[in-house]
């Protein structure tokens, strides 16, 4: 008995997948996969070649979520760059976990050689969901789960039902909540709801309706400098919370309340053409909450001015260090009591408040597509797409922290001798005192109208396959200001800006050949122009309508070559890829320490180059034993030095213009090498046990473009050593983790009960740096008659140590 308990305990403390909930059909999937493998290698038919040529993304299937213990991007592209479509309608990444619960058919494509009917201008690949090709069998699935990481636990339920006369439905609901057990101040409360309603007609037509929403609020953590982590002796230290009335209160929160709706109808047009028309979109709000301070000292406890390294006096530095090492929360955490006290003694309203930076999303999309089989070997996909995106952005008061009101003024100009007479944020309602829920500071929308035509030709003859695709369209972007800022009177801030027009396009081609039922290879190329993000086309969209000079599209060129091997005992994938991004543009608002002025910074001509190889293998070592392997080696570097221009954000006056030397820098969050191995054992009696090891090497912090400009790195450097500190890029530590899980299912009448126990990071390594970035701010010291400039320390975040996960589910 003792040995059995010990065995269960060891399995329990060895795997966690809090990013992806473990499902209870794992064993059945394995058995079905085994039967399919036996079938596909037994024939040499044209049907098999078609299946072989359109296989799913094996690397994505095996490695997804395995490297989530660090900030990691595949091929240099974050998961948000991977497009997801539901019958042609774009779906936000936050909604994908819900979409998967509805049992919709899903095809996962890697890179640019996809074979999908949709034209995608990203090497990150895509997920193509359809509500027309999957109607789940009747049944109920309920589960309760425990996480401890990000939130405490929750429950979910799925109902699939046939309603008669061709109608079917799926209803899904999930609730989760509670505090993180490892990082103080972190929590999540969420309610997920989804509905799928489908109708099959005798004519072959299909009608579907999908509605889903995530209503969530999260308490967030924040990175800080290595000095702070050392002082606290805690790599999971979080500076965003403090005690108020004996309870933990987080000053940094995020809310997401953006429902998604989509409706689509497919209809055969004759014997060779299928039409599908879809419409859908998102409407709701996202809010990022944080502390605001108005003509007052920053309340963030880990600000560089509150650390021992800031003070020249040894006695003061020693006292500050002692407070940090003792964990004096009045100094090391948000001091809510002091913030309330400052507001009470203020005679001019709140000097501290909780403010919400809100983005109201209103997106609508219409897609009309046709699929025509011209003959047995030739297929044509073509269609039109129209899209309208409206992102309205404003700031509103969440909590006045004991004050009666907040004056809606531009507090950055209070002490400005030249511009202190232009303090009004909105001349339409001057001298306004705002309360909880009121908008203040800024209110504007960024609007985008897009239209495009897509066409792709697919040729498949015996073992040969060729695809050629084209997407061409027009984007119109403009800003609409709802506040008239006194600093930018009239149309300079109020009303519509001038319209910016772009002509984006994508051209891709693919050639593939099946050498045998086991061996297939293809090569793909893509050239595209991509419209920049709307916020990067205005100098300061929060305050004015001024567009950047010479707005141009971003240019992309990519290529890849793939090889796949398939047999009854193994699946293997090898890929080599290259992606070049040039003419990238970014605009930011930052404080310029050299001129002591807040500036609008225009970064033009940034270039990035990504290249590397990927491999993945699924091996059947025995009837009940599988081995999954995945590895990737790649580089992500800055290929072009951008030009950086600083403008005074009060007047638009040119402050500086210089080149930034980014050529020796790596793109942050792109591991040079990543690999994983997973061994899975399962039995026909319902046991599944799995152990995986994964690691990453060669990661770097995000590089600052500003501090590498000629103006800063050369002119502000007092010595060669200081110059090197400005241009050096810190490398993050290599990391390896081990995960294991054990699952057992039981037949209970017509139902099935499943139990899953898991732990992630079995070895409890708490020294893994999740990610980091360089600060653009510059510190300065007085040394005799000289003013010495130095870069500020990097901001880093550490991954959690050992974390647990458990699921109890029942399926009927």
């Amino acid at each position: 008995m003792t040995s059995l308990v010990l065995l269960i305990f060891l399995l329990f403390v060895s795997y966690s997948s809090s990013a992806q909930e473990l499902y209870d059909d794992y064993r059945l999937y394995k058995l079905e996969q085994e039967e399919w493998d036996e079938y596909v290698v037994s024939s040499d038919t044209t049907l098999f070649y078609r299946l072989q040529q359109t296989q799913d993304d094996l690397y994505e299937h095996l490695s997804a979520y395995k490297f989530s213990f660090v900030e990691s991007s595949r091929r240099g592209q974050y998961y948000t760059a991977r497009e997801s479509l539901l019958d042609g309608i774009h779906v936000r990444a936050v909604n994908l976990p819900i979409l998967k619960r509805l049992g919709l058919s899903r095809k996962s494509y890697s890179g640019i050689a996809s074979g999908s009917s949709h034209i995608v201008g990203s090497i990150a690949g895509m997920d193509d969901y359809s509500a027309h090709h999957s109607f789940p069998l009747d049944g109920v699935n309920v589960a309760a789960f425990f996480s401890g990481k990000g939130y405490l636990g929750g429950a979910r339920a799925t109902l699939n039902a046939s309603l008669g006369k061709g109608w079917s439905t799926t209803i899904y609901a999930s609730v989760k909540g509670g505090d993180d057990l490892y990082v103080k101040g972190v929590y999540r409360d969420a309610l997920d709801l989804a509905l799928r309603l489908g109708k099959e007609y005798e004519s072959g037509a299909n009608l579907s309706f999908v509605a889903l929403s995530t209503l969530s609020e999260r308490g967030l953590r924040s990175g800080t400098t290595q000095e702070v982590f050392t002082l606290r002796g805690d790599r999971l230290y979080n500076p965003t919370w403090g005690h108020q009335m004996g309870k933990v209160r987080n000053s940094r929160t995020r809310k997401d309340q953006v429902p998604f709706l989509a409706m689509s109808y497919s209809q055969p047009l004759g014997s060779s053409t299928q039409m599908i028309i879809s419409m859908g979109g998102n409407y709701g709000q996202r809010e990022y909450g944080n502390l605001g301070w108005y003509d007052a000292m920053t309340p963030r406890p880990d600000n560089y001015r509150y650390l021992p390294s800031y003070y020249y006096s040894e006695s003061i530095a020693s006292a500050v260090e002692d407070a940090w090492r003792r964990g004096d929360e009045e100094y090391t955490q948000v001091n809510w009591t002091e913030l309330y006290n400052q507001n009470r003694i203020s005679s001019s309203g709140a000097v501290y408040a909780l403010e919400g930076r809100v983005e109201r999303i209103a997106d609508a999309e219409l897609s009309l597509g046709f699929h025509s089989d011209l003959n047995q070997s030739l297929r044509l996909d073509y269609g039109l797409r129209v899209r309208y995106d409206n992102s309205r952005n404003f700031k509103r008061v969440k909590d006045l922290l004991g004050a009666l009101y907040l004056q809606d003024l531009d507090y950055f100009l209070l002490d400005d001798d030249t511009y202190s007479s232009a303090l009004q944020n909105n001349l339409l309602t001057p001298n306004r005192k705002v309360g909880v829920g009121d908008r203040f500071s800024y209110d504007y929308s960024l609007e985008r109208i897009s239209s495009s035509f897509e066409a792709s030709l697919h040729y498949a003859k015996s073992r040969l396959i060729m695809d050629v695709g084209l997407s061409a369209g027009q984007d119109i972007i403009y800003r609409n200001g709802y506040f008239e800022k006194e600093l930018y009177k009239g149309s300079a801030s109020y009303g519509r800006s001038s319209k910016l027009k772009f002509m984006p396009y994508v051209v891709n081609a693919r050639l593939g050949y099946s050498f045998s039922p086991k061996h297939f290879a293809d090569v793909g190329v893509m050239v595209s122009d991509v419209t920049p993000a709307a916020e990067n086309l205005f100098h300061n969209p929060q305050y004015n309508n001024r567009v950047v000079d010479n707005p141009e599209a971003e240019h992309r060129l990519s290529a890849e070559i793939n090889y796949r091997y398939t047999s009854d005992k193994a699946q293997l994938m090898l890929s080599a890829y290259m992606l070049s991004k040039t003419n990238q543009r970014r605009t930011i608002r930052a404080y310029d320490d050299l001129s002591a002025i807040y500036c609008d910074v225009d970064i033009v001509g940034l270039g990035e180059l990504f290249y590397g190889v990927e491999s993945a293998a699924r091996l059947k070592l025995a009837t009940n034993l599988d081995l999954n392997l995945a590895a990737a080696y790649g580089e992500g570097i800055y290929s072009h030095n951008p030009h950086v221009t600083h403008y005074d954000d009060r007047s638009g006056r040119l402050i500086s213009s210089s080149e930034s030397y980014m050529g020796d820098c790596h793109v942050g969050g792109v591991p040079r090498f990543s690999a994983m191995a997973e061994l899975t054992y399962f039995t026909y009696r319902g046991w599944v046990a799995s152990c995986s090891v994964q690691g990453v090497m060669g990661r770097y912090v995000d590089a600052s473009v500003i501090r590498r400009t000629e103006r800063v790195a050369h002119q502000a450097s007092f010595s060669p050593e200081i110059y090197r500190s400005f241009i050096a890029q810190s490398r993050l530590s290599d990391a390896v983790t081990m995960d294991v899980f054990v699952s057992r299912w039981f037949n209970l009448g017509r139902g099935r009960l499943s139990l899953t126990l898991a732990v992630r990071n079995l070895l409890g390594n708490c020294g893994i740096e999740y990610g980091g970035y360089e600060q653009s701010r510059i510190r300065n010291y007085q040394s005799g008659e000289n003013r010495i400039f130095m870069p500020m320390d990097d901001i880093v975040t550490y991954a959690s140590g050992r974390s647990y996960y458990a699921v109890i589910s029942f399926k009927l």
Side-chain angles (χ1 to χ4, degrees):
M1 183 65 181
T2 303
S3 300
L4 178 59
V5 173
L6 180 60
L7 175 60
I8 293 176
F9 176 78
L10 291 175
L11 290 171
F12 175 72
V13 293
S14 54
Y15 180 86
S16 172
S17 182
S18 59
Q20 181 187 31
E21 294 178 1
L22 303 170
Y23 62 102
D24 61 348
D25 291 331
Y26 191 80
R27 173 188 174 277
L28 293 184
Y29 164 78
K30 290 292 183 181
L31 297 181
E32 291 166 359
Q33 182 66 37
E34 178 183 356
E35 293 171 359
W36 172 249
D37 289 341
E38 292 291 343
Y39 166 75
V40 297
V41 298
S42 63
S43 62
D44 191 10
T45 64
T46 300
L47 175 61
F48 169 71
Y49 289 127
R50 298 299 167 265
L51 294 172
Q52 183 191 54
Q53 293 160 357
T54 58
Q55 285 185 9
D56 276 359
D57 185 353
L58 182 61
Y59 183 90
E60 173 72 11
H61 277 297
L62 299 186
S63 65
Y65 305 107
K66 292 297 183 183
F67 305 114
S68 58
F69 58 95
V70 296
E71 186 179 24
S72 176
S73 57
R74 183 183 177 189
R75 301 187 178 187
Q77 313 304 301
Y78 285 100
Y79 72 96
T80 51
R82 185 179 178 92
E83 292 199 52
S84 299
L85 301 176
L86 171 59
D87 292 319
I89 303 299
H90 285 83
V91 182
R92 295 194 305 147
V94 70
N95 287 328
L96 294 184
I98 308 177
L99 209 60
K100 295 173 183 177
R101 292 288 175 185
L102 292 179
L104 307 180
S105 67
R106 175 195 177 204
K107 192 69 176 178
S108 177
Y109 299 103
S110 64
I112 57 177
S114 66
S116 169
S117 60
H118 302 290
I119 308 299
V120 177
S122 171
I123 199 171
M126 69 171 294
D127 293 308
D128 194 2
Y129 292 86
S130 176
H132 296 290
H133 305 299
S134 178
F135 291 88
L137 299 176
D138 290 356
V140 177
N141 192 334
V142 295
F145 47 89
F146 161 82
S147 172
K149 183 178 179 182
Y151 61 96
L152 186 60
R156 65 172 184 264
T158 305
L159 169 65
N160 299 310
S162 298
L163 305 178
K165 297 184 179 181
W167 287 94
S168 66
T169 187
T170 300
I171 301 174
Y172 171 74
S174 172
V175 61
K176 60 187 68 172
D179 295 336
D180 187 293
L181 297 182
Y182 313 102
V183 182
K184 209 159 189 178
V186 174
Y187 66 90
R188 183 181 183 187
D189 297 322
L191 173 65
D192 298 343
L193 299 171
L195 168 67
R196 179 200 62 82
L197 188 63
K199 165 72 171 176
E200 286 186 334
Y201 296 89
E202 293 182 358
S203 63
N206 281 275
L207 175 68
S208 76
F209 174 80
V210 174
L212 54 88
S213 180
T214 295
L215 310 176
S216 68
E217 178 178 334
R218 298 164 54 201
L220 305 177
R221 63 182 296 197
S222 179
T224 188
T225 63
Q226 192 59 55
E227 177 186 6
V228 175
F229 287 124
T230 301
L231 289 170
R232 290 295 298 116
D234 179 10
R235 290 186 169 121
L236 298 182
Y237 163 75
N238 181 15
T240 67
W241 66 273
H243 277 106
Q244 182 182 357
M245 305 291 290
K247 296 182 179 181
V248 172
R249 185 180 187 184
N250 198 328
S251 65
R252 187 166 173 249
T253 60
R254 186 180 296 277
K255 289 184 178 181
D256 192 298
Q257 300 174 341
V258 188
F260 168 82
L261 298 175
M263 183 172 65
S264 61
Y265 176 77
S266 66
Q267 172 70 54
L269 301 179
S271 60
S272 61
T273 298
Q274 185 84 12
M275 178 198 73
I276 179 169
I277 182 170
S278 304
M279 61 184 69
N282 304 279
Y283 185 85
Q285 292 186 354
R286 295 187 298 186
E287 181 182 73
Y288 171 68
N290 210 344
L291 272 171
W293 54 100
Y294 318 98
D295 195 27
M297 295 290 291
T298 172
R300 182 173 175 126
D302 61 337
N303 183 270
Y304 74 100
R305 294 174 179 267
Y306 303 153
L307 300 179
S309 59
Y310 176 76
Y311 298 96
Y312 296 105
S313 169
E314 291 187 5
S315 59
I316 297 177
S318 178
V320 173
E321 180 178 348
D322 179 66
W324 274 95
R325 293 192 180 277
R326 286 188 292 105
D328 184 351
E329 290 188 2
E330 290 188 1
Y331 206 91
T332 65
Q333 302 299 150
V334 175
N335 193 334
W336 294 104
T337 301
E338 181 61 21
L339 301 185
Y340 275 81
N341 289 338
Q342 291 295 319
N343 278 349
R344 290 191 182 98
I345 64 176
S346 171
S347 60
S348 57
V351 293
Y352 294 102
L354 276 176
E355 55 186 35
R357 300 180 182 182
V358 180
E359 179 188 10
R360 192 208 64 192
I361 298 173
D363 303 336
E365 189 170 12
L366 174 65
S367 173
L368 174 62
F370 299 89
H371 170 105
S372 297
D373 294 317
L374 304 182
N375 55 47
Q376 290 185 344
S377 304
L378 197 61
R379 186 185 88 229
L380 178 63
D381 293 301
Y382 52 100
L384 298 171
R385 183 186 306 275
V386 179
R387 183 170 177 175
Y388 172 73
D389 298 326
N390 183 313
S391 171
R392 184 158 181 176
N393 301 268
F394 55 89
K395 190 182 290 187
R396 68 180 170 199
V397 179
K398 288 172 62 68
D399 191 338
L400 287 171
L401 304 182
L404 298 177
Y405 63 89
L406 170 66
Q407 292 184 327
D408 188 13
L409 301 175
D410 189 336
Y411 289 91
F412 293 104
L413 302 179
L414 281 178
D415 300 325
D416 195 301
D417 294 335
T418 304
Y419 298 97
S420 58
S421 60
L423 299 178
Q424 298 298 323
N425 282 321
N426 187 10
L427 288 176
L428 303 179
T429 54
N431 301 312
R432 184 163 170 252
K433 297 179 179 180
V434 296
V436 175
D438 292 337
R439 301 184 186 188
F440 73 106
S441 185
Y442 60 84
D443 187 359
Y444 69 96
S445 64
L446 295 174
E447 301 180 45
R448 176 171 175 167
I449 303 172
S450 304
S451 58
S452 63
F453 169 76
E454 297 179 355
S456 56
L457 190 64
H458 307 269
Y459 174 80
K461 183 70 172 180
S462 184
R463 303 184 179 193
L464 180 67
I465 184 171
M466 291 188 294
D467 299 327
V468 178
L470 168 67
S471 174
Q474 183 183 66
D475 290 341
I476 300 174
I477 297 174
Y478 55 90
R479 177 189 184 271
N480 200 350
Y482 300 98
F483 279 7
E484 182 185 355
K485 192 170 179 64
E486 188 172 11
L487 198 62
Y488 309 99
K489 295 181 180 180
S491 61
S493 61
Y494 184 70
R496 286 190 177 183
S497 69
S498 58
K499 293 183 178 180
L500 301 172
K501 295 184 179 180
F502 296 87
M503 303 292 288
Y505 72 87
V506 179
V507 178
N508 59 23
R510 175 196 183 204
L511 176 64
Y513 187 77
S514 297
F515 296 93
S516 74
K518 294 184 178 181
H519 303 275
F520 172 76
D522 65 358
V523 59
V525 294
M526 181 187 73
V527 180
S528 64
D529 268 8
V530 179
T531 302
E535 57 268 21
N536 290 326
L537 295 172
F538 298 87
H539 280 279
N540 190 344
Q542 289 187 355
Y543 288 166
N544 59 60
N545 283 330
R546 182 181 178 185
V547 301
V548 298
D549 298 328
N550 302 317
E552 296 179 345
E554 174 187 324
H555 308 311
R556 295 182 183 180
L557 171 64
S558 60
E560 67 180 18
I561 184 170
N562 305 293
Y563 166 76
R564 288 199 295 267
Y565 171 84
T566 306
S567 74
D568 59 333
K569 299 297 183 183
Q571 287 179 269
L572 174 67
M573 181 276 293
L574 295 172
S575 295
Y577 66 90
M578 182 279 295
L579 169 62
S580 172
K581 295 182 178 181
T582 57
N583 207 40
Q584 296 184 91
R585 186 170 213 142
R586 300 174 188 167
T587 59
I588 60 175
R589 185 171 186 258
Y591 185 78
D592 179 44
D593 291 277
L594 297 185
S595 63
I597 294 174
Y598 278 97
C599 290
D600 303 326
V601 185
D602 190 11
I603 304 168
V604 184
L606 189 66
E608 296 174 334
L609 177 63
F610 305 95
Y611 59 89
V613 293
E614 293 178 341
S615 62
R618 176 183 285 144
L619 307 175
K620 187 171 294 296
L621 303 182
T623 304
N624 297 340
L625 192 64
D626 285 358
L627 176 63
N628 295 330
L629 303 170
Y633 177 85
E635 289 283 0
I637 58 176
Y638 290 96
S639 57
H640 293 71
N641 289 335
H643 201 81
V644 181
T645 306
H646 285 69
Y647 298 94
D648 187 334
D649 82 331
R650 303 166 301 181
S651 62
R653 176 176 58 92
L654 177 67
I655 298 297
S656 70
S657 183
S658 61
E659 184 178 5
S660 180
Y661 298 98
M662 299 290 292
D664 294 329
C665 293
H666 298 263
V667 178
V670 182
R672 180 172 292 175
F673 178 75
S674 56
M676 59 78 59
E678 181 181 45
L679 190 65
T680 302
Y681 173 78
F682 54 95
T683 73
Y684 292 92
R685 297 181 179 180
W687 283 100
V688 180
S690 177
C691 177
S692 68
V693 177
Q694 45 276 324
V696 293
M697 299 174 60
R699 299 179 299 130
Y700 292 82
V701 298
D702 290 325
S704 166
V705 175
I706 293 177
R707 84 180 202 187
R708 286 177 173 77
T709 58
E710 182 180 13
R711 172 175 176 252
V712 174
H714 285 277
Q715 299 178 19
S717 296
F718 187 73
S719 67
E721 292 77 16
I722 295 177
Y723 169 75
R724 285 192 291 270
S725 69
F726 274 112
I727 65 171
Q729 184 182 17
S730 299
R731 177 171 172 170
L732 298 171
S733 60
D734 301 333
V736 177
T737 65
M738 177 183 290
D739 304 340
V740 191
F741 84 87
V742 59
S743 182
R744 177 73 163 95
W745 64 269
F746 307 87
N747 286 323
L748 298 179
R750 295 186 302 167
R752 188 170 71 248
L753 177 69
S754 299
L755 307 175
T756 299
L757 301 176
V759 171
R760 189 174 187 183
N761 192 0
L762 170 65
L763 303 181
N765 186 355
C766 297
I768 298 175
E769 294 163 315
Y770 176 81
Y773 64 91
E774 297 175 347
Q775 299 190 74
S776 296
R777 291 289 307 276
I778 301 168
R779 295 187 65 172
N780 62 84
Y781 307 86
Q782 190 69 37
S783 178
E785 297 180 354
N786 298 315
R787 176 68 63 178
I788 307 298
F789 295 94
M790 291 287 292
M792 286 193 175
D793 294 340
D794 298 339
I795 299 294
V796 296
T797 305
Y798 283 89
S800 298
R802 186 181 299 112
S803 56
Y804 302 88
Y805 189 76
V807 182
I808 301 176
S809 65
F810 180 75
K811 186 174 184 180
L812 181 63

